[in-house]
Amino acid sequence: MGQGKFITLEGTEGVGKTTNLELIRDEVAGAGHSVVTTREPGGTPLAEEIRELLLAVREEPVSETTELLLMFAARAQHVATVIRPALEAGQWVVCDRFTDATYAYQGGGRGLDAEVIHTLENIVQCGLQPDLTIFLDVSVETAARRIAERNHDRFEREQVAFFERVRTAYLERAANHPRIRVVDASVELDQVQGNLRELLAQFLSESS
Ligand code: TMP
């Protein structure tokens, strides 16, 4: 059996990742592939514990480097025990966020050096990269309106300027990495999903 494909879904907060992740899973499964859906930070019991540490609102300021290392600690566990074994077994992996989020949030948002992120990426992933990344894009104002009602985690409490930097970093990465496809998520859900289905149909046919 061949290696499975690795699809990641990205976006700032409030872009409807959860609903669209289900659609991606259903499209891939519908094409006859065995699919594992997972998320970052998280995806294993240990990595989910690290996620709780990362998202908790706390009095102690979290250093940017601590945040970065915890993201990659969670990722190391996730890649080693879930993602890589699944791909090697021929399963497709659909993951809610991956390392593009680190370049966007810790790189763009927090201002950490992309070279440092790149070094950690090499250590943790040993060359593993998504085959397809979908970036669901909405303006920061629209996203803020959509999450206004939620209980905000440590990231969601950031200011508008932080999310503008995150979005800009995602769009810049998309411009430089053909595997990253930008989907406008500001339109009606039906239209977003139609565009996603089209994009996936093309990817599935190229992958068969
Ligand atoms: P979620 O709300 O999409 O589950 O993601 C949790 C938060 O973690 C979200 O605010 C983005 C943030 N995050 C990073 O800052 N860096 C990363 O590498 C990942 C995977 C997520």
Side-chain angles (χ1 to χ4, degrees), residues 13 17 40-41 51 71 75 97 101-102 105-106 155:
E13 325 296 309
K17 273 193 297 102
E40 289 217 343
R51 176 189 177 90
M71 286 294 173
R75 183 163 300 136
R97 298 195 188 280
T102 313
Y105 282 79
Q106 282 65 51
F155 289 95

Side-chain angles (χ1 to χ4, degrees), residues 44 46-47 50 72-83 124:
T44 87
L46 172 57
I50 299 173
F72 272 108
R75 183 163 300 136
Q77 183 68 10
H78 191 210
V79 167
T81 69
V82 174
I83 298 177
V124 167

Side-chain angles (χ1 to χ4, degrees), residues 10-11 13 17 39-41 51 55 67 71 75 96-103 105-106 150 153 155-156 162-163 170:
E10 300 282 354
E13 325 296 309
K17 273 193 297 102
R39 69 170 178 182
E40 289 217 343
R51 176 189 177 90
L55 298 195
E67 182 177 286
M71 286 294 173
R75 183 163 300 136
D96 184 345
R97 298 195 188 280
F98 196 61
T99 306
D100 294 307
T102 313
Y103 283 100
Y105 282 79
Q106 282 65 51
R150 278 196 216 162
D153 65 34
F155 289 95
E156 290 166 346
F162 175 86
F163 291 110
Y170 269 128

Side-chain angles (χ1 to χ4, degrees), residues 12 104-105 108-111 140-141 144 157-169:
T12 50
Y105 282 79
R110 303 280 189 229
V140 172
E141 301 77 66
R157 291 181 171 221
E158 287 296 336
Q159 305 296 313
V160 168
F162 175 86
F163 291 110
E164 292 288 3
R165 294 196 297 277
V166 170
R167 181 178 181 219
T168 301

Side-chain angles (χ1 to χ4, degrees), residues 33-173:
H33 301 288
S34 164
V35 192
V36 174
T37 53
T38 186
R39 69 170 178 182
E40 289 217 343
T44 87
L46 172 57
E48 288 289 329
E49 285 187 40
I50 299 173
R51 176 189 177 90
E52 282 177 28
L53 294 176
L54 277 161
L55 298 195
V57 176
R58 60 182 78 242
E59 276 184 21
E60 179 184 353
V62 179
S63 113
E64 287 152 359
T65 306
T66 305
E67 182 177 286
L68 177 69
L69 292 173
L70 284 174
M71 286 294 173
F72 272 108
R75 183 163 300 136
Q77 183 68 10
H78 191 210
V79 167
T81 69
V82 174
I83 298 177
R84 209 181 279 285
L87 293 173
E88 283 171 1
Q91 293 182 295
W92 284 43
V93 176
V94 179
C95 189
D96 184 345
R97 298 195 188 280
F98 196 61
T99 306
D100 294 307
T102 313
Y103 283 100
Y105 282 79
Q106 282 65 51
R110 303 280 189 229
L112 289 176
D113 186 353
E115 275 307 306
V116 174
I117 300 174
H118 189 59
T119 302
L120 291 167
E121 178 183 28
N122 284 340
I123 294 168
V124 167
Q125 292 165 226
C126 303
L128 175 73
Q129 289 293 336
D131 298 292
L132 171 68
T133 297
I134 296 166
F135 173 59
L136 296 174
D137 186 39
V138 296
S139 73
V140 172
E141 301 77 66
T142 304
R145 258 201 317 279
R146 289 186 187 171
I147 65 162
E149 302 299 312
R150 278 196 216 162
N151 247 344
H152 289 176
D153 65 34
R154 199 170 57 80
F155 289 95
E156 290 166 346
R157 291 181 171 221
E158 287 296 336
Q159 305 296 313
V160 168
F162 175 86
F163 291 110
E164 292 288 3
R165 294 196 297 277
V166 170
R167 181 178 181 219
T168 301
Y170 269 128
L171 290 171
E172 280 174 10
R173 271 185 83 68

